[in-house]
Amino acid sequence: DAGITQSPRHKVTETGTPVTLRCHQTENHRYMYWYRQDPGHGLRLIHYSYGVKDTDKGEVSDGYSVSRSKTEDFLLTLESATSSQTSVYFCAISESEEGYEQYFGPGTRLTVT
Amino acid sequence: GQNIDQPTEMTATEGAIVQINCTYQTSGFNGLFWYQQHAGEAPTFLSYNVLDGLEEKGRFSSFLSRSKGYSYLLLKELQMKDSASYLCAVMDSNYQLIWGAGTKLIIKP
């Protein structure tokens, strides 16, 4: 299994509070991704990174920001959590963007009350 | 817009064969992936197709027709542990994965 962890695994927070989720990899892969998964929807890309301090927006980036100061860590921040951000968040890593599979972390279940 | 369609749910019997279809319309094509996801767990990679034809890997096979925007995942000799969701994803021209909503496969004894 690829060495990829996420923390926390579960979190309950209140509307309006900031929340940071962490993704940590030990594979030294260049590409890292944050997705959210909701019932009835496919995985949706929030943000991705193609190197240290190199990030870009995905399909559903509003209300989220990211940072990558080290190869192994990719942080996702919900600046002011809303109930619509209740979801399961997956981090994924990939050696390259073309022709390589993405390996997923175990996920973080976030509930915003 | 970009769209991936796959059936929401399928039921099959232990020991049988099942085919899960996926049709897609995307801006560009750089390969099609199939993933398996057990309930409450992360998706795990099953197969990758970039050229037309059939790729076989043990009990699992994946087929691609780029001209028809169509793929299928074939699972043989079904086992109870194959009960899971199967996710189809297409890599578009920007090398981003566009995901289908997944097909929940229920295996009955």
Side-chain angles (χ1 to χ4, degrees):
Chain A
D1 290 344
I4 177 169
T5 58
Q6 293 183 230
S7 59
R9 295 292 315 279
H10 301 271
K11 186 169 182 68
V12 179
T13 192
E14 293 184 350
T15 298
T17 60
V19 177
T20 296
L21 309 182
R22 181 183 184 233
C23 177
H24 178 77
Q25 60 146 329
T26 57
E27 304 297 319
N28 200 36
H29 283 355
R30 179 181 174 191
Y31 290 83
M32 298 186 76
Y33 308 83
W34 276 108
Y35 290 94
R36 60 179 289 173
Q37 187 174 42
D38 304 290
H41 292 271
L43 287 157
R44 291 182 289 176
L45 183 65
I46 305 171
H47 282 279
Y48 66 100
S49 170
Y50 45 95
V52 173
K53 297 187 178 178
D54 290 324
T55 65
D56 207 345
K57 296 179 179 180
E59 177 190 356
V60 290
S61 60
D62 286 349
Y64 302 94
S65 62
V66 290
S67 66
R68 191 172 179 195
S69 59
K70 297 186 289 185
T71 299
E72 57 266 35
D73 290 326
F74 193 31
L75 304 180
L76 175 71
T77 297
L78 288 66
E79 293 140 9
S80 177
T82 67
S83 58
S84 64
Q85 294 177 312
T86 292
S87 186
V88 179
Y89 291 85
F90 285 103
C91 175
I93 62 174
S94 178
E95 193 170 349
S96 175
E97 63 181 356
E98 183 176 1
Y100 285 83
E101 63 267 35
Q102 295 181 10
Y103 297 97
F104 284 79
T108 294
R109 183 171 294 277
L110 176 69
T111 302
V112 183
T113 60
Chain B
Q2 307 201 92
N3 196 50
I4 311 285
D5 284 320
Q6 46 182 135
T8 302
E9 186 173 297
M10 299 181 70
T11 302
T13 304
E14 191 177 14
I17 299 172
V18 70
Q19 178 175 311
I20 302 174
N21 295 325
C22 171
T23 58
Y24 63 89
Q25 288 181 303
T26 57
S27 55
F29 179 84
N30 281 302
L32 186 143
F33 295 79
W34 283 96
Y35 281 76
Q36 181 189 58
Q37 185 177 27
H38 285 101
E41 298 183 6
T44 55
F45 170 76
L46 286 177
S47 67
Y48 169 67
N49 295 70
V50 67
L51 299 177
D52 289 352
L54 188 68
E55 294 279 344
E56 296 185 82
K57 193 185 292 187
R59 293 188 300 114
F60 293 8
S61 302
S62 56
F63 172 83
L64 174 67
S65 169
R66 289 173 297 171
S67 63
K68 295 182 180 178
Y70 168 70
S71 173
Y72 68 73
L73 180 69
L74 191 71
L75 291 73
K76 303 176 186 176
E77 301 170 15
L78 285 170
Q79 303 175 9
M80 297 304 293
K81 67 178 182 180
D82 297 329
S83 292
S85 289
Y86 292 85
L87 314 180
C88 173
V90 173
M91 185 162 279
D92 70 9
S93 57
N94 294 319
Y95 298 101
Q96 291 188 7
L97 282 177
I98 309 301
W99 296 80
T103 298
K104 183 178 181 180
L105 178 63
I106 299 168
I107 310 296
K108 295 186 174 180

